[in-house]
Amino acid sequence: MPTFRVIELGPSGAVETFDGAERAAPSPAEVARWIDLAAPDAESLELLRARFDFHPLAIEDCAHLDQRPKLEEYRDHLFLVTQGFTCPGTRVEELELHEVHAFVGERYLVTVHADEVPALESAWKRVASDKRPLERGVDFVYYLMADAVVDSNFPILDRIADELEELEDQVLENPQRQDLARIFELKRHLVMMRKVLSPQRDTMAMLSRRGDARVSERTSLYFRDVYDHLSRINESIEANRDLLGNALDAYLSAVSNRTNEIMKYLTLLSAIFLPLAFVVGFFGQNFENLPGFPDWVRSDMLMYAVLAVCIVTPMAMLAWFRHKGWF
Amino acid sequence: MPTFRVIELGPSGAVETFDGAERAAPSPAEVARWIDLAAPDAESLELLRARFDFHPLAIEDCAHLDQRPKLEEYRDHLFLVTQGFTCPGTRVEELELHEVHAFVGERYLVTVHADEVPALESAWKRVASDKRPLERGVDFVYYLMADAVVDSNFPILDRIADELEELEDQVLENPQRQDLARIFELKRHLVMMRKVLSPQRDTMAMLSRRGDARVSERTSLYFRDVYDHLSRINESIEANRDLLGNALDAYLSAVSNRTNEIMKYLTLLSAIFLPLAFVVGFFGQNFENLPGFPDWVRSDMLMYAVLAVCIVTPMAMLAWFRHKGWF
Amino acid sequence: MPTFRVIELGPSGAVETFDGAERAAPSPAEVARWIDLAAPDAESLELLRARFDFHPLAIEDCAHLDQRPKLEEYRDHLFLVTQGFTCPGTRVEELELHEVHAFVGERYLVTVHADEVPALESAWKRVASDKRPLERGVDFVYYLMADAVVDSNFPILDRIADELEELEDQVLENPQRQDLARIFELKRHLVMMRKVLSPQRDTMAMLSRRGDARVSERTSLYFRDVYDHLSRINESIEANRDLLGNALDAYLSAVSNRTNEIMKYLTLLSAIFLPLAFVVGFFGQNFENLPGFPDWVRSDMLMYAVLAVCIVTPMAMLAWFRHKGWF
Amino acid sequence: MPTFRVIELGPSGAVETFDGAERAAPSPAEVARWIDLAAPDAESLELLRARFDFHPLAIEDCAHLDQRPKLEEYRDHLFLVTQGFTCPGTRVEELELHEVHAFVGERYLVTVHADEVPALESAWKRVASDKRPLERGVDFVYYLMADAVVDSNFPILDRIADELEELEDQVLENPQRQDLARIFELKRHLVMMRKVLSPQRDTMAMLSRRGDARVSERTSLYFRDVYDHLSRINESIEANRDLLGNALDAYLSAVSNRTNEIMKYLTLLSAIFLPLAFVVGFFGQNFENLPGFPDWVRSDMLMYAVLAVCIVTPMAMLAWFRHKGWF
Amino acid sequence: MPTFRVIELGPSGAVETFDGAERAAPSPAEVARWIDLAAPDAESLELLRARFDFHPLAIEDCAHLDQRPKLEEYRDHLFLVTQGFTCPGTRVEELELHEVHAFVGERYLVTVHADEVPALESAWKRVASDKRPLERGVDFVYYLMADAVVDSNFPILDRIADELEELEDQVLENPQRQDLARIFELKRHLVMMRKVLSPQRDTMAMLSRRGDARVSERTSLYFRDVYDHLSRINESIEANRDLLGNALDAYLSAVSNRTNEIMKYLTLLSAIFLPLAFVVGFFGQNFENLPGFPDWVRSDMLMYAVLAVCIVTPMAMLAWFRHKGWF
């Protein structure tokens, strides 16, 4: 169900909060407004379009909420799509992608989003309880929100980096199939984050270079800061992808090592018992009296000789393998 | 067989549709026309060239219809090659590449294509039933068509992404040769899509920056939107290529894992039965009375000892392997 | 042996062909000339240098004919190195690299090449039999020649793409060592083509942007077309490299699959016969009367029990392997 | 505990050093100051902000000291984040990342850092004992410090390169699991260095292009030198990553080679003893008198024949394997 | 020991050569000088700095001679670092890196280098014996030297390419461990060449675009030629890296193929002898009279049947393997 809410900074300098669509309209002179629309439907978007004269393409984007980060400049407002991830649990299982569409006019900021965006909520609380942000301008309010959305990506990347380092060690020790599945899952997360956060950086770069009525020069300094954070995030994503390649290589070489180790054991077994099997088989032949051997070899001495061979052969084999450095 | 058809917006503001080559000519003042030529032959192209004075190189391109996406600027019209894919079934088996050549003049749009292009047909129906697109200008009509061509790529990429994720899981479970063939097939599709859709984006970027008689500033906003979609498509292609690398790595490591598992089983078998074979072989030797053993060992006790060895040895082997973490 | 030949378009509008070095000189006013020098030696190059006042560096380049594609601008002429491949047989065995050096002046085109270049010959025939190209200007004549050189690369790439797709299927079915050698050979061809055709594109881009006395604006449209073809060629080379990666991966995984299959067969054999060998070995021991067994086990029943074990064991093994999905 | 210290070049031309926060303030005319704050806390940073009117964002950065290298331009000062690595031991075990935040005004340089930075200490000593650096300007003092920070990366990269070359040889000889772990560890170091030193280069490029009141043209020559060092460092990192790929490939192929070698030994064993086992097993069958053989074969001759087979078979096998080039 | 030598073109138009530091000074009007300093020490560099007023940073660079290629512009001279490789033997074993530092003023060229640089020696001889180079200007003299340094890289790359092609064939035939070591060695060479020659290209690009007092427009044409050579070299390095990837893939797949082949042989052996061992073991059991068999089976017929099984089984196995395409 679409929900409108508004924070207004009136000429008296007091900040007030309203629910409902009533004040979801361009602000009169001397008034600055942040209008937030959650879970929009066709009707509520049409209301925005009619009151603010937004471009049909932008309104159509708001109806879908599966855009890429972008910045579009219209005659009297900017249209911004901002995206970021949060991750509910402590383990990076399922990333939630949050998308906020924002219209930044001279005295109004309109935000549209589908689900509840934690970063937007925290910005909302701050702006509702402190008049300074709205006094600085709606561009600064947008900065507060965008900065919170962007910064929510840092802990995810840190956790992925930590887990990758762990995975690499663990996999070198003892490669398990679920480790492999986990590596691929983390890669999917990184692919998704890069797909979203790399264009996000470009829009912040554009904002930090601007300096017109909608984004004051003072605020553009702040957007430069957000741009910087996004650069760090993108560098972290790349670094994480490198580490992920490490973990995968570690897995493959650990499996290959293990095959090697098993092969060595099999060969050792064969090297010991195949000759022995021949020896005892030889004396198991049904030649009467094993003709050709003098009598005494049928005596105890042969018996002990065979026993000796059965003990010496494996030892010689083991010594030779150790000499070759296999064990 | 070449087929001409024309939609005309006359000075009266009414939209009319005509079949045949008669009105396939530059429109008189106050009239806007969309002329569509399907399955062109040399004759019909010569007719266009003669009536519109198109450049021989552009006409030659239309004769072949295996160009790459491009935008060429002539004195009084733009020549545009637009390409997109559709995929008939629900499984991404064979991609169909559609190519539309368009001449965008001040009051005419000429489109040339070989087979039936679904996206063009839907645009045609909309323009034929609604006068607003042609009122906005032939550049907007071209936008409608190009946007539909571009958007037809989205479902293909989504289906590939879904299938890749499935393939990865399936392959980790149980690698099958046909999975490998499927991975390579999907990669071929992605290679083909990138080859076509990456230059397509460049032409849309050029259109979105223009603002002359042929592409009004108002329409260039719309081309920016198409450019944005193409950026998203290209990012999806890259992300899919990454996922495809995952699926391939998953296959290779699953095969390598399976070899490992089989090796372990083989080694286990050998570790159990090679020593046993030696033991029973030893007592199969034809020494009379196994001299050297005291009499009692020929009694039941030896017999039971051998039986015990035959039971204890495999158990010890299994225990040792489990200790080494192989099973 | 150096061979000069000249096509001349005189003021009378008639095209004439001459052999020999006589007319290998700057054309008088009203006359346009294409001078072609095959298999140059020091003497013939000095002749050109002296008559046309070409730069020593350009003449030095002509003496070696192993340059990279380039465009150099001198005061009164352009110096162009154009390269392309042809492939004699139907199978892509040995690529022939053709190199044409061209000096484009205001009313002369001088081409220098070592061996016979098929594309240049076809352009030569066309210009010799039709006065229109020379009437359009020597830049257009150069375009005709360069376009033919560039287009001769298309069939090679198409054949490589077809063969790669075939190779991939074939290799997945039955990996042969000669397939691997063939994959590497094709990669060498692609590496060589990219090395040559990627700088070639840059020179055409420069030509298509020019518009001075030597390259008329009308002709630069045509060079844009050649540039476009080279873009398509370079995209094809990249796509082919991707397909080649596929074929190589297919080979490696097919070999790895096959090792796996052989291992499974070996393990199956061992799993059936190692236990059987133990069973028959056990009863091959030379214990008198196998003491401990009651008399009846020495009767037929034991005999049949052993036979039964020898039949049931392999079946149980097979059933278990099938259950584990190995076969 | 936050520690302030100040170097001051007074109008008398004498350099003096002070401890404590007293002189941590903008310098009066004719005085140049380097103010260093180690281990900052909220209070000391607020002191700086209040006295110098630094931007809140910059002060917030100083509070965290986990920024990326950057250059921010404020109205009357530059804010610079400089990072570099040192490595305590002779083996590249654990890299220490040092981060220095610097405010470069017209007559003051303020540096803020958490731990002791060796490069900064050496610059501090030089500036405290020699008046020339401060005479040249605070930008030159910043150069001295930044240059030392950057140059401390060279020995690390040289040691990594040396170790990689060693590792590659060692791994080709005798692949050990700890080598693999070491390779991955070095890769993590390189990933981290690239993440930090690649943006560092960009800030130096910006400094070397500037020429305003804060960075004199004379000093920008020096920054060009630092930029150059950073380019060399970044090229070394890339080259090291290539070498690292070598070492990893060497490991994988050495393991694969070793598996191959073990397989050959196992096959050799089997090829020798399996036929022998058959031969002696054949004559171990309990046929009375091996009927069908003439009497004489039960004589010594058969016995010797079997012995001969047992000697000739392994020799033939060995000869055949050698012929096939396996050994 | 530092060695100075000078070539001077006096106002008389005669070229003279001097040894020693005496004329290592800025040239008087009408005189052009090439001053060469080999094996510089602190003293000789200070002499240059004092006489020519070179920048301390440039002099410091000369003291170390381990810079990267660069071009620095000072008020009245250019400072250039040029690097190239030579390779003493016919096999590419150890590359020698030569580094020449050059100061190009209006009428002087100062070169500084550590060891003897063959390319510089050949340029020196040419300039000492021919007055034309110095007449053209010191920039042209620098061109002669730099061109020789750059061109000395071509034969190395050609030899590497030839060797790589050979290695690839050889490795596919019969993979040897020393081939692998050689592949890695060549890769190290290529990594080093790219690290040096890629920035070298950038400095030549800068020179070819210049046109001031120190580099005349006429000479910049020549630097464009050197730039072109460096482009070709860099493309060759990239192509060689691709071929190197081929050789490495060839090695790995040849080893993997060989493992496969050995496995097949081992499986064949087992498939033949394991069933036979069972057969002869079965009849080696100590059942009295093999009860249950009719009397006649103990006769010659059974004996022959066993012999037949021992001959038919291996044949059937071989036929089946051939049918499966393993041999």
Side-chain angles (χ1 to χ4, degrees), chain E residues 295-319:
Chain E
D295 273 5
W296 59 264
V297 303
R298 307 224 48 189
S299 71
D300 295 10
M301 197 170 289
L302 179 61
M303 177 69 208
Y304 289 125
V306 169
L307 270 178
V309 164
C310 292
I311 290 164
V312 171
T313 307
M315 286 182 161
M317 282 291 170
L318 280 175

Side-chain angles (χ1 to χ4, degrees), chain E residues 110-185:
Chain E
V110 178
T111 52
V112 181
H113 52 99
D115 47 355
E116 185 167 303
V117 181
L120 188 144
E121 291 310 309
S122 73
W124 183 268
K125 272 181 205 138
R126 179 159 165 206
V127 175
S129 63
D130 180 359
K131 68 175 187 179
R132 279 176 307 172
L134 271 173
E135 273 178 0
R136 285 195 166 202
V138 290
D139 49 354
F140 187 79
V141 173
Y142 171 72
Y143 151 75
L144 280 182
M145 193 274 294
D147 189 44
V149 168
V150 165
D151 284 357
S152 66
N153 296 297
F154 277 114
I156 302 174
L157 285 167
D158 289 349
R159 271 188 273 162
I160 290 179
D162 289 350
E163 194 181 340
L164 277 174
E165 203 156 325
E166 248 172 63
L167 260 177
E168 187 193 307
D169 288 349
Q170 187 175 319
V171 138
L172 268 183
E173 272 307 299
N174 183 8
Q176 299 289 321
R177 188 182 294 187
Q178 66 264 38
D179 295 335
L180 195 62
R182 183 66 182 149
I183 289 173
F184 290 135
E185 198 185 342

Side-chain angles (χ1 to χ4, degrees), chain A residues 143 165 168 172-173 221-222 224-225 228 231-232 235-236 239 242-243 246 249-250 253 256-257 260-261 263-264 266-267 270-271 274-275 278 281-282 284-288 290-293 317 320-321 324-326, chain D residues 55 57 61 66-68 70 72-74 177 180-181 184 187-188 191 194-195 199 241 248 251-252 255 258-259 261-263 265-266 269-270 273 276 279-280 283-286 298-300 302-304 306-307 310:
Chain A
Y143 151 75
E165 203 156 324
E168 189 193 306
L172 269 182
E173 271 307 298
L221 277 182
Y222 287 90
R224 202 175 58 186
D225 194 59
D228 231 70
S231 295
R232 247 168 78 204
E235 282 153 14
S236 279
D242 272 344
L243 293 181
N246 267 12
D249 283 342
S253 51
S256 155
N257 255 333
N260 199 286
E261 198 184 339
M263 285 295 299
K264 278 196 276 192
L266 175 59
T267 305
S270 306
L274 282 184
F278 165 66
F282 187 81
Q285 292 177 98
N286 289 325
F287 298 122
E288 262 166 20
L290 287 175
F293 283 104
M317 283 290 169
W320 190 61
F321 283 175
K324 295 211 33 152
W326 285 6
Chain D
H55 196 279
L57 275 175
D61 282 352
D66 61 342
Q67 305 301 312
R68 61 195 291 271
K70 61 182 171 183
E72 288 181 357
E73 200 178 338
Y74 293 103
R177 189 183 290 187
L180 195 61
F184 290 135
K187 185 158 173 204
R188 270 205 300 272
V191 165
R194 186 169 67 163
K195 199 174 135 188
R241 285 169 67 92
L248 190 59
Y251 182 87
L252 289 175
V255 167
R258 174 165 285 197
T259 301
E261 199 184 337
I262 294 172
M263 285 294 300
Y265 190 73
L266 175 60
L269 270 174
S270 306
F273 288 105
L276 290 187
V279 166
V280 301
F283 292 101
Q285 293 176 96
N286 288 326
R298 307 225 46 192
S299 70
D300 295 8
L302 179 60
M303 178 68 208
Y304 289 124
V306 169
L307 269 178
C310 292

Side-chain angles (χ1 to χ4, degrees), chain A residues 139-310:
Chain A
D139 49 353
F140 187 78
V141 172
Y142 171 72
Y143 151 75
L144 280 181
M145 194 272 296
D147 189 45
V149 168
V150 165
D151 284 358
S152 66
N153 296 297
F154 277 113
I156 302 175
L157 285 166
D158 289 349
R159 270 187 274 163
I160 290 179
D162 289 350
E163 194 180 341
L164 277 173
E165 203 156 324
E166 249 173 64
L167 261 176
E168 189 193 306
D169 289 348
Q170 186 176 320
V171 138
L172 269 182
E173 271 307 298
N174 183 8
Q176 299 290 322
R177 188 182 292 184
Q178 65 265 38
D179 296 336
L180 195 61
R182 183 66 183 150
I183 291 172
F184 290 136
E185 198 185 341
L186 289 176
K187 184 159 174 205
R188 271 204 301 272
H189 291 335
L190 287 173
V191 165
M192 196 159 61
M193 291 186 85
R194 186 169 67 164
K195 200 175 135 188
V196 165
L197 295 172
S198 155
Q200 181 80 72
R201 181 175 48 175
D202 300 340
T203 66
M204 286 301 152
M206 281 190 264
L207 277 176
S208 71
R209 276 195 298 269
R210 294 177 52 86
D212 66 6
R214 251 110 46 212
V215 179
S216 66
E217 197 159 336
R218 213 177 48 164
T219 311
S220 75
L221 277 182
Y222 287 90
F223 286 116
R224 202 175 58 186
D225 194 59
V226 183
Y227 168 75
D228 231 70
H229 288 192
L230 278 162
S231 295
R232 247 168 78 204
I233 285 174
N234 278 289
E235 282 153 14
S236 279
I237 291 175
E238 287 316 304
N240 271 343
R241 285 168 68 93
D242 272 344
L243 293 181
L244 198 138
N246 267 12
L248 191 59
D249 283 342
Y251 183 87
L252 289 174
S253 51
V255 166
S256 155
N257 255 333
R258 173 166 286 197
T259 301
N260 199 286
E261 198 184 339
I262 294 172
M263 285 295 299
K264 278 196 276 192
Y265 190 72
L266 175 59
T267 305
L268 180 69
L269 271 174
S270 306
I272 290 171
F273 287 106
L274 282 184
L276 290 188
F278 165 66
V279 167
V280 300
F282 187 81
F283 293 100
Q285 292 177 98
N286 289 325
F287 298 122
E288 262 166 20
N289 309 314
L290 287 175
F293 283 104
D295 273 5
W296 59 264
V297 303
R298 306 225 49 192
S299 71
D300 295 9
M301 197 170 289
L302 179 60
M303 178 68 209
Y304 290 124
V306 169
L307 270 178
V309 164
C310 293

Side-chain angles (χ1 to χ4, degrees), chain D residues 98-143:
Chain D
H98 300 289
E99 182 170 337
V100 180
H101 291 208
F103 299 84
V104 182
E106 215 164 332
R107 273 167 302 109
Y108 62 83
L109 164 69
V110 178
T111 51
V112 181
H113 53 98
D115 46 355
E116 185 167 303
V117 181
L120 188 143
E121 290 311 308
S122 73
W124 182 268
K125 273 180 205 137
R126 178 158 166 206
V127 175
S129 63
D130 180 359
K131 68 176 186 179
R132 278 175 306 172
L134 271 173
E135 272 177 2
R136 284 196 165 200
V138 289
D139 50 353
F140 187 79
V141 171
Y142 171 72
Y143 151 75

